[in-house]
Amino acid sequence: MSEIDPSGAAVLEAEDITVQFGGLRALSHATITAHSGVITGLIGPNGAGKTTLFNVITGHQNTVTGAVRLGGRDVTRLGVHRRARKGLSRTFQKLEAFNSLSARDNVLVAAEMYGAGTGPARLADDILERVGLADVADITVGTLPTGTARLVELARALAVRPRVLLLDEASSGLTEEETAAVGDLLIQLVAEDDLAVLLVEHDMSFVMNTCSQIHVLDFGQMIAAGSPEEVQGNETVRAAYLGTGS
Amino acid sequence: MTTAAPLLELRGVRAGYGIIDVLHGVDLVLQPGEVLALLGPNGAGKSTTLAVASGQIEPSSGQLLIGGREVNGARPDALARSGVCLVPEGRGIFPNLTVTENLRMMTFAGTSLSAIQEKAYELFPRLEERRRQLAGTLSGGEQQMLAMARAMATDPALLMLDELSMGLAPIIVDELYSQVATLARTGLSILIVEQFAKTVLGVADTAAIMLHGRVTRTGRPDEIAEELTAAYLGIESGGHQ
Amino acid sequence: MTEERPGDESPRLQEFQTQVEDLRLSGGRANPERAAVRLALVLFVVAVVIEIVAFNGSSSASDSRDQTDFVILALLGVVVALGAVGLFIRASLTRYFRYWLVRLVYEDRANTDRLIDALRPGREK
Amino acid sequence: MRTSGLRPSLIFAILASLGFLVVVSWQSWAGNTVTLDSLLVATIAGLSVGSLYAISATGLVVVYTTTGTFNFAHGGIGVFSAFLYWELAENKDGIGLPRLFALILVVLVVAPAIGVFLDLILMRRLRTADLVVQLMVTVGLMVFLLTLTGQLWQADQARSVGFFWEGQGFFIGEFKVTWHRYMVIVVAAAIALLLRLLLYRTRIGVAMRAVVDNRELTALNGARPGMLSSFAWALGSSLAALAGILIAPEVQFSPANLNDVMLIAAIAAAALGQLRSLPLTVVGGLLIGLLQQHNAQWLSHGADWPFTRLAIAPIVLFLVVLALPQARLEVGRVATNLRPVERTTNWAEGAFGSVALIVVAIVLANGWLDFGVWDPGPWNQIALNNGIAAMVIALIGLSLVPLTGWAGQINFAPLAFAGFGAFLFLKLAGESGNALWIPVVGLLCAPLGAIVALFAARLSGLYLALLSLAFALLMAKLVYPHPKIFPTHTFADLSVGSYTLDSRYRFFLALIIVFAVMMFALVLLRRSRFGRRWVAMQDSQAAAATIGVNVILTKVIVYATSAALAGMAGVFWAISKNSIDSGRDFELLANFEIVLLMAAAGLAMPAAALFLSFRFVIEALGGRLDEAGSFGPLVWFLDSFLAKFGPGLLAIGMVVNQRGAVFEMGKGFAPLLPWRRDARRELALERERGRVREIGGLGLTEPFTGEALLEIDHELGVVDDITPAEGYRHAVHPEVADV
């Protein structure tokens, strides 16, 4: 395992997380960290528990064991919106844009949580510009194509000025060009704003191209972590994806 | 009589959920008596393909042909009764019904309950011990066996299996797939969607790789294996664009 | 491919084939006009009913002003009937014209391709 | 946030109920001596009535679990069946069938047929619809059935349904218990047994339970979902009919009353079974029956608490809903395009609309318009009263716009909030009618909304609707009828300083202005950060929380806002009526009509509230035409049909037109306005998507394939067989070979 760039302390730490659904253990003692200025990837086969881990981090899901820390502060007992106000932002696997609002209002709702006066409006327009949505700002999101709506969701997540951004399947529903554009945008954002990004993704070329650190989850357990090359070469990871030979 | 039409054929099928398109023109052919493995990373549209083939989702364009006949818009229950059997992802059972009641649900395709019970208990004796138990309280492997019982007992003409191995221990996966192999030998046409590629490739006659809502490659299993690794782990296309 | 194929004449497959042939189909999303055609037929029946009611009422009405009401009702029925016929014609032909248009587009493209091909200098002998 | 077990609000509610029970019992104790015999008799009577509630509730649960539709028309079906039974068996001038035969005919033939019919034409389309639409359609159906019953069998005529065996019975001590009651208990037990056998021993029954687990999988097993849902509707209607007929001798036999008795008890019992468990549902039915009969035995329904018996079912419902576990924040719901995509009105449009409304109202009321052939003249007192009633209802309807239309919180109790406003105004302004108290009333109503919000915040969807239903009933049956709340006072005319709105014309104008101002304020509110946040919360609570929105606090604020609006509207409501008739004004049906019409018009648009004046406009129009003479069929159509059946039919029409009439009009209209570029672009986007879907596969967006060409030729009738002999493709379309 390679050490992460030690310059920044982990801004998000989820440690020893266990989640139980009835008799099924969705996560067992999983640990993951995200650092400022770094895009961290979380991959694993279907049903490995990636989205559950995201839900734990944002507070949509309770845990049996473990703690979530944001910037060193324990937030395990805080509700979803309290964590959001501490700089934790996310997108959803299944699109959760505000469908009956225009694209600008989607972003504005988020921006208004953190500013008054004309500040939020300017921030919203800036972000829309940056994500490439200025053209459709007045359109109701429910009528936009999926890919564009996903970008709106991303813009909304950015409008809360997050320190940590969680992206759940950011590329699903996007064309290959759009995916590439999102990748470039993320790299730019991380570099400029010192943001920590944690992304769950199934598009491996996207993951390998954008992430500098990758964690692999299987059966609710972390089975590997490291750089893209290390993960690609890891036998355990291959076995997890391809199955043991019969 | 014409030469046999493919048992299942998808021509340029586009489909999705609500406003989200998942399949962008899928072409897929399954010949009678063939075992076809449909492989690919998460979110490529494999399960959606099965949903289309079983009638759960109607294609927004393109054609679904079964036995050579276009059946766009056929209801899933009608297809099921005529012999199209889908074992869906994540345990195709009813958790709040007992094992016996689950087996009773399998009688809609025309087989009698006693015949189904006989066959299911013969193949998976463990189920007989649990027949009064709620299916939701069975172990994962037993649940999947119960789901498989339908495939074994109701004499389908086309069997589709979605992620049979998900969340199961390797030993149980092997046991299940040995049953699949048995079924395949009877001449049943099977379409398998899986992540555990190696296990499946041992059973399949043909394999297809799916990426971004399209079938990108079809071929013999041994030809496909290398490409598959690349698709899963993004190795081939590694490096920046 | 690997095992011996029991062949297409296996009784199960035969049975399956007949069962699939017997499936009743709704026509699917590919034919959205079907609903409009049905609506048109229903509207036409409604129009006929309105006419009958109007006829019945006007013959029994004693007052001429009451009769005017029924004349208006009868006119309404005629309007509904005309609308139904229009809808029926439009809906039943739309599909055909759509395919026709696509066919024209294809031929146009093919012709253009051939023309370009013929004009390409390399092809000249 | 996700604590389980006993919550403070629940403990508070239980303690309050117990305390209330003690107070009511103390004050209303009838003084009957308690003997073993009297206890036994009340218990048997309770079990008998309770059995009927249980039968009815079971039907409700079976339909809900199998089809996913919560059927508010359940009681309505029972009422219609009971009246049909009366016609067949009890009507002295009717055909006089034997009772048993009529019972079997209605319960086993007519009611199931009604159920299947409803399923086929309406209910199937509802399964994937928005919850608001589902609720409105069944509530609309209920209103329609009650109106129909009332029209077919004139509701004002007293009639009764006799007991089986003509009231003979068996004496316990000095009390007679009719055979009818024993029979009911036996019948209920038999039905419970049969249902048990059906659901656990037959294939169709098992399939109905399987649908609850996994609908898709049921179809994949080959069970016909359509048949299952029709069967469930037939069974549910049958049970409703049986309960309705057998309970009819026990109650005042009128459509509204029978519906109240059956529906609320069934809902409360079903809620106790968490809308799933049949045994618990039966227990719930019996419990309500027992409580009601013991209440009737031991308490006198004198002055202070006249309707406690009717309040028992709502109390049970209220407590059960509060005891339910926390609704989880929904994550991972598949986004569909079904939710109303709402179009915002900009402030200039809102201002224009408000001013236009005032101008039009003044012109009409003064009769300044002369149509040449027909000069309507200034409005008389009747027309003014109609106008006032219409505007008052519209004003109450406005309170639903932020709450239900924007924040998605279903509220069946707008009149309960309005009544609180009226009560406060009576206490504060008293005889003076000083209008300056109205804003104060609004401020004081807000906390009531906040309290309801604290109860409601954990809930979502159906349970929220049920909670508001229970709240409406509790206020209507317990609180407002208390003589201390609305003593037989009349409300004084409204006054501002020395200026008094002492004529109907002045009051009407004041109302129009208030409405226009409120409407404009709501347009502005929708465009404010609050409005945005509320709409965002409705679209996705989970996502709203992740951007930092405190969902509970936001709900409290929107409830408080709505309660304040409704409370202020309530002041005008009370004054327009001069006095409150606490026994009738808060009836459930009155609440339903407001919510129904609002929903049919489009809950998210303030202007839609004008739609509530629908009935009054129709009636006024009918009256005018009648005066002018001649238009016989038209007047009948307006008066007897549209005005009476309109609300129900409009709501049922939401099956097709799910987003509301005003929305659809706005959608068509907005792109025509020169300054609405956004609306035009949205329209273009929608069209484009539809078109690409349609012809995308045929070769316009991709290269043509041989198959596509053959398909086209086949459709055009140029070739006959779509799978021609090998080689044909290439022979006919050689160009395709190298595509």
Side-chain angles (χ1 to χ4, degrees), chain D residues 104-395:
Chain D
I104 289 173
L105 185 67
V106 172
V107 170
L108 293 185
V109 180
V110 179
I114 294 175
V116 171
F117 177 73
L118 289 177
D119 179 49
L120 289 180
I121 61 161
L122 290 178
M123 301 306 173
R124 275 188 195 181
R125 300 151 191 259
L126 283 183
R127 200 175 60 73
T128 51
D130 219 45
L131 181 74
V132 178
V133 176
Q134 276 195 5
L135 291 182
M136 290 312 144
V137 171
T138 63
V139 172
L141 185 62
M142 176 193 96
V143 173
F144 175 80
L145 281 172
L146 294 185
T147 319
L148 183 69
T149 311
Q151 292 283 299
L152 289 178
W153 294 277
Q154 276 72 26
D156 44 359
Q157 240 173 67
R159 50 169 71 77
S160 65
V161 171
F163 287 98
F164 276 75
W165 297 286
E166 305 298 342
Q168 292 170 30
F170 173 76
F171 278 85
I172 296 179
E174 55 188 309
F175 307 98
K176 186 177 78 175
V177 178
T178 56
W179 292 121
H180 185 96
R181 286 189 171 162
Y182 291 114
M183 175 199 71
V184 163
I185 297 176
V186 173
V187 166
I191 285 177
L193 197 69
L194 283 176
L195 270 178
R196 172 84 196 179
L197 284 179
L198 172 76
L199 290 176
Y200 285 83
R201 287 283 177 272
T202 66
R203 190 166 75 175
I204 190 166
V206 171
M208 281 164 75
R209 286 166 55 222
V211 165
V212 186
D213 265 9
N214 190 334
R215 171 170 288 273
E216 279 69 35
L217 188 58
T218 312
L220 287 177
N221 270 297
R224 292 179 178 81
M227 197 193 62
L228 288 180
S229 91
S230 287
F231 184 75
W233 275 97
L235 184 61
S237 306
S238 211
L239 293 174
L242 182 66
I245 292 170
L246 291 182
I247 211 169
E250 309 268 4
V251 299
Q252 183 210 334
F253 192 54
S254 76
N257 184 55
L258 192 56
N259 181 59
D260 268 13
V261 170
M262 276 182 64
L263 181 68
I264 308 305
I267 289 178
L272 188 74
Q274 300 218 4
L275 307 180
R276 266 198 320 266
S277 153
L278 288 184
L280 271 178
T281 301
V282 171
V283 169
L286 293 178
L287 178 74
I288 293 167
L290 283 173
L291 285 172
Q292 284 187 353
Q293 291 302 322
H294 278 284
N295 172 300
Q297 181 84 356
W298 309 117
L299 301 187
S300 74
H301 300 101
D304 277 8
W305 306 101
F307 302 124
T308 49
R309 186 163 172 258
L310 297 176
I312 283 172
I315 291 175
V316 171
L317 179 60
F318 195 70
L319 291 178
V320 166
V321 173
L322 284 187
L324 288 172
Q326 161 88 40
R328 286 189 51 212
L329 281 183
E330 257 181 278
V331 193
R333 166 186 60 128
V334 177
T336 63
N337 211 6
L338 283 175
R339 252 195 40 64
V341 174
E342 169 209 355
R343 214 158 294 266
T344 54
T345 321
N346 70 35
W347 71 268
E349 289 163 12
F352 176 78
S354 301
V355 173
L357 178 68
I358 296 173
V359 171
V360 168
I362 292 177
V363 168
L364 281 181
N366 285 302
W368 289 338
L369 264 189
D370 186 347
F371 294 99
V373 285
W374 182 40
D375 178 10
W379 286 7
N380 58 18
Q381 289 298 307
I382 298 171
L384 281 171
N385 279 338
N386 256 332
I388 288 169
M391 289 324 292
V392 161
I393 290 292
L395 210 50

Side-chain angles (χ1 to χ4, degrees), chain A residues 63-78:
Chain A
T63 62
V64 180
T65 68
V68 179
R69 280 189 290 276
L70 260 178
R73 301 249 296 278
D74 190 338
V75 295
T76 320
R77 307 209 164 275
L78 296 188

Side-chain angles (χ1 to χ4, degrees), chain A residues 12-45:
Chain A
L12 168 73
E13 299 162 276
E15 205 181 309
D16 192 35
I17 304 291
T18 305
V19 171
Q20 196 99 17
F21 293 124
L24 185 79
R25 181 161 277 204
L27 284 175
S28 64
H29 308 288
T31 296
I32 195 166
T33 55
H35 296 255
S36 293
V38 175
I39 303 181
T40 311
L42 174 60
I43 63 172

Side-chain angles (χ1 to χ4, degrees), chain B residues 3-35:
Chain B
T3 51
L7 197 70
L8 169 71
E9 186 177 359
L10 275 71
R11 287 190 197 155
V13 165
R14 293 159 180 274
Y17 306 90
I19 56 169
I20 304 173
D21 256 346
V22 181
L23 305 183
H24 310 283
V26 170
D27 296 295
L28 193 70
V29 176
L30 173 67
Q31 298 294 347
E34 189 186 35
V35 178

Side-chain angles (χ1 to χ4, degrees), chain A residues 167-185:
Chain A
L167 301 176
D168 199 347
E169 309 260 344
S171 79
S172 86
L174 299 191
T175 63
E176 279 164 50
E177 301 86 72
E178 283 170 328
T179 308
V182 168
D184 292 343
L185 177 70

Side-chain angles (χ1 to χ4, degrees), chain B residues 146-167:
Chain B
L146 182 56
M148 278 289 290
R150 176 154 59 99
M152 316 295 256
T154 57
D155 189 26
L158 165 61
L159 173 62
M160 297 184 282
L161 301 170
D162 196 356
E163 303 271 358
L164 206 55
S165 64
M166 193 165 113

Side-chain angles (χ1 to χ4, degrees), chain A residues 24 43-47 50 94-95 99 141-142 144-146 149-150 169 171-174 176 179-180 184 187 202-205 208-210 218-219 231-234 237-246, chain B residues 17 19-21 24 41-44 46-47 89 91 163 165-170 174 177 194-200 202-203 211-212 214 225-226 228-241:
Chain A
L24 185 79
I43 63 172
N46 252 352
K50 292 164 295 187
K94 300 272 166 64
L95 198 56
N99 275 345
V141 173
L144 289 174
T146 325
R150 280 214 171 266
E169 309 260 344
S171 79
S172 86
L174 299 191
E176 279 164 50
T179 308
D184 292 343
I187 292 170
H202 60 255
D203 182 344
M204 283 302 156
S205 55
M208 298 298 165
N209 287 339
T210 48
D218 189 28
F219 284 115
V231 166
Q232 280 173 335
N234 188 317
V237 176
R238 284 179 174 237
Y241 267 95
L242 301 176
T244 45
S246 52
Chain B
Y17 306 90
I19 56 169
I20 304 173
D21 256 346
H24 310 283
N42 278 352
K46 302 180 305 265
S47 294
E89 183 183 338
R91 318 279 179 272
E163 303 271 358
S165 64
M166 193 165 113
L168 295 182
D174 287 347
Y177 270 102
E194 254 304 350
Q195 283 213 321
F196 286 93
K198 275 190 188 142
T199 321
V200 189
V203 186
L211 277 174
H212 296 296
R214 283 198 176 84
E226 264 315 296
L228 195 62
T229 319
Y232 277 157
L233 296 179
I235 289 171
E236 218 95 314
S237 42
H240 292 267
Q241 289 107 319

